[in-house]
Amino acid sequence: GDPKVPVLYEVERTRTGKSFSVRSVKAIQHGKPIFTCQASFQLSQWSPVQHQFTMPAVPPPEELLTQEELIQKFLQNPNLAERYRKHLNKIQAEDVPIDIKPVNPPDVFCSGPQEPKQLFWVRARGYIGETDMKVHCCVAAYISDYAFLGTALLPHRQYRIKFMVSLDHSMWFHAPFRADHWMLYECESPWAGGCRGLVQGRLWRRDGVLAVTCAQEGVIRVAQTPNQSKL
């Protein structure tokens, strides 16, 4: 989309029921759709059928370094390769409105394959407060997209990325939460192939309640490494 051009939103009342309703939204610029969304809404209902996964056991955010602190630590190393230095400086220059504390930050000095899993403590910067829950859901949608698809690249760090973009992004909201409070973001990629990657994520509240589940598929194109002669 073009941030300088107004967006026209077309909303279709796909279904309106007693407990569940569905709305389809199309965002249009220059006469063409740039975004489509299908949102489902449910009245709050109690059920005895309840279960969830167990939140991973990780150090609390107070014991971990922020992403900015980790980057500064890496940049102070005189042995850091120039390409990594440029990449880290680029990340540092981004104005990201999220506080991030990686639980197991990847080793920038190693290009070997890693398990396609990541754990972050995340929260919105600043104070949002006890406002409408829909505001916190919108902020969580922004948070959930950050570094999400990159999880699928961890086993393939020897390749240079040419192009990477999300194809679709789905979210399911399970319990109330505060997007400006620390939440654990658990990301994993069960599959990649055919220039696509699939990632799944779970946002946990600090008290162990599963608040949000996410899934995303994206395009991943890498530079092909030329075959070297063995002669």
Side-chain angles (χ1 to χ4, degrees):
D2 186 346
K4 299 178 181 179
V5 177
V7 180
L8 173 65
Y9 291 96
E10 292 184 354
V11 182
E12 176 187 344
R13 297 175 180 267
T14 308
R15 181 181 185 276
T16 301
K18 294 181 178 180
S19 300
F20 295 88
S21 294
V22 179
R23 298 292 184 264
S24 299
V25 182
K26 183 186 295 184
I28 299 173
Q29 278 186 336
H30 303 295
K32 296 181 179 180
I34 61 170
F35 172 82
T36 57
C37 169
Q38 182 166 293
S40 300
F41 303 90
Q42 179 193 8
L43 291 175
S44 180
Q45 295 175 306
W46 182 86
S47 170
V49 180
Q50 299 183 45
H51 73 268
Q52 67 166 48
F53 283 175
T54 301
M55 178 178 171
V58 299
E62 291 78 13
E63 297 180 7
L64 300 171
L65 298 176
T66 65
Q67 180 168 275
E68 289 84 358
E69 291 169 336
L70 284 168
I71 290 175
Q72 282 297 331
K73 182 180 177 182
F74 288 135
L75 290 175
Q76 289 172 5
N77 191 315
N79 298 320
L80 182 66
E82 187 60 29
R83 66 188 184 100
Y84 287 125
R85 190 175 299 277
K86 289 181 179 179
H87 178 65
L88 292 175
N89 281 321
K90 182 180 179 181
I91 295 175
Q92 195 175 39
E94 295 176 353
D95 185 17
V96 180
I98 311 170
D99 286 326
I100 304 168
K101 291 192 174 185
V103 175
N104 295 304
D107 185 356
V108 296
F109 298 100
C110 175
S111 61
Q114 296 186 9
E115 189 177 15
K117 293 185 178 181
Q118 297 192 86
L119 288 164
F120 306 94
W121 284 105
V122 293
R123 68 179 179 186
R125 288 181 175 167
Y127 177 79
I128 299 176
E130 296 288 351
T131 183
D132 191 323
M133 188 61 210
K134 290 189 283 291
V135 174
H136 289 282
C137 289
C138 290
V139 176
Y142 182 92
I143 290 175
S144 69
D145 190 48
Y146 187 80
F148 196 23
L149 192 56
T151 309
L153 295 173
L154 292 177
H156 315 285
R157 300 179 69 201
Q158 71 272 29
Y159 294 106
R160 181 173 61 84
I161 305 304
K162 291 175 57 180
F163 181 75
M164 184 170 67
V165 66
S166 170
L167 289 171
D168 50 59
H169 190 98
S170 300
M171 300 184 72
W172 296 265
F173 298 95
H174 311 307
F177 61 91
R178 286 275 299 271
D180 54 350
H181 288 179
W182 285 116
M183 292 190 292
L184 182 68
Y185 195 16
E186 180 186 10
C187 307
E188 58 185 1
S189 174
W191 176 88
C195 295
R196 291 178 292 128
L198 177 66
V199 288
Q200 300 167 343
R202 289 178 281 274
L203 275 167
W204 300 88
R205 293 189 334 207
R206 289 195 67 164
D207 60 0
V209 171
L210 179 58
V212 185
T213 297
C214 317
Q216 184 180 93
E217 186 181 43
V219 175
I220 301 176
R221 300 191 189 280
V222 300
Q224 296 295 323
T225 305
N227 293 326
Q228 294 182 351
S229 172
K230 297 181 180 180
L231 297 179

